[in-house]
Amino acid sequence: DVDRVFDETMADWKAFFERWGAPLSLEEQRGLLGELLVLERLIGAGDVSRVRDWMGPDGKLHDFESDSWHIEVKTSIRNDPTAMIHPIEQLDLHELPFNLVLVKLVNGEGMSLPSKISEFRSNGEINKSTPDREHFERMLEKIGYRDEDSKHYSREYSPEAEMTRHDVNSSETLLQTRRIAAEVQFDTIRWRLRSSQHDFIDCSDGFWADPSVY
């Protein structure tokens, strides 16, 4: 589809020049938007205190870390969603239930990074809870999002994002340190995960309500 590829390429270049001098790259914007979409689902199926489980921007190994479950989020716009995994330990086995969630964004209209952040800020439940509100703003600050840069983040996507998950602890296909022979020497590893090569399933309402049982 030459026309579609051309339009997407032109949109990428347009976004590149629009964000000149902005702190977040297009990939970082998508990553943040994906994490916010997951947070939105978790809050919608649980309660507002789950805001404080969002820990990725604070340098934690996983994007969401609660006392009973962990979730790592990767975001892609490819038809076959792909994700860059780093560090190598990121998808190692964990003592708690641990899922990798892939968010597939589709270029379109109706949802941008600033608009999604605005929705969170206008959430009455978050605003009533000072710890949750302050944590949300602190995570935005940690990741480098500033309101004055919002004009650089004009890329829009369809509000309907596909979300699938993979149970990390029971996976037989992920690259994990336990599968690397002891005699293999390395400093760091980055690897690309392609959704079609692993068993991803749709994120059910039950999963969002209680990730600790999945």
Side-chain angles (χ1 to χ4, degrees):
D1 188 346
V2 176
D3 290 339
R4 179 184 60 81
V5 173
F6 177 81
D7 289 342
E8 289 182 356
T9 302
M10 290 300 294
D12 284 340
W13 278 105
K14 180 175 182 290
F16 173 79
F17 286 110
E18 285 179 344
R19 71 172 189 270
W20 196 268
L24 299 181
S25 67
L26 187 57
E27 183 178 347
E28 290 169 332
Q29 294 171 48
R30 288 171 179 156
L32 175 55
L33 182 56
E35 291 176 28
L36 292 176
L37 290 172
V38 168
L39 178 58
E40 185 176 55
R41 296 289 182 90
L42 289 170
I43 291 175
D47 60 72
V48 71
S49 66
R50 285 180 164 179
V51 169
R52 282 172 277 168
D53 296 328
W54 181 33
M55 301 297 294
D58 206 25
K60 300 294 184 181
L61 186 60
H62 304 139
D63 294 312
F64 292 86
E65 299 187 358
S66 84
D67 293 335
S68 54
W69 50 264
H70 280 205
I71 291 176
E72 175 63 22
V73 182
K74 299 295 182 182
T75 308
S76 176
I77 61 168
R78 294 178 180 270
N79 287 332
D80 184 4
T82 61
M84 186 65 71
I85 309 301
H86 178 78
I88 183 63
E89 298 86 2
Q90 191 171 58
L91 297 184
D92 274 355
L93 301 182
H94 199 276
E95 64 270 17
L96 297 175
F98 176 28
N99 279 269
L100 169 65
V101 172
L102 268 182
V103 179
K104 180 182 177 181
L105 297 177
V106 177
N107 289 320
E109 297 180 351
M111 179 176 67
S112 66
L113 179 57
S115 70
K116 183 55 63 178
I117 289 174
S118 179
E119 288 179 21
F120 274 92
R121 286 173 168 167
S122 62
N123 184 302
E125 293 300 312
I126 294 177
N127 285 325
K128 286 192 295 187
S129 171
T130 299
D132 297 325
R133 185 179 68 251
E134 290 181 345
H135 181 86
F136 180 77
E137 294 298 336
R138 186 165 61 253
M139 291 302 101
L140 291 181
E141 181 181 358
K142 290 273 188 179
I143 207 168
Y145 183 88
R146 299 194 305 265
D147 290 331
E148 55 265 35
D149 297 317
S150 61
K151 61 182 180 295
H152 298 294
Y153 307 142
S154 60
R155 175 62 67 88
E156 292 193 8
Y157 304 92
S158 168
E160 300 301 322
E162 177 184 303
M163 299 189 196
T164 56
R165 68 177 182 87
H166 185 72
D167 182 351
V168 174
N169 289 335
S170 63
S171 177
E172 295 298 328
T173 56
L174 295 177
L175 175 59
Q176 298 170 324
T177 55
R178 67 190 174 105
R179 294 195 169 98
I180 301 176
E183 64 270 17
V184 175
Q185 301 297 312
F186 64 91
D187 290 324
T188 185
I189 293 176
R190 290 178 182 269
W191 65 280
R192 190 178 301 278
L193 178 151
R194 185 174 297 162
S195 174
S196 61
Q197 297 176 335
H198 307 271
D199 293 327
F200 278 85
I201 61 175
D202 291 336
C203 295
S204 65
D205 292 340
F207 170 72
W208 296 122
D210 188 4
S212 68
V213 299
Y214 288 85

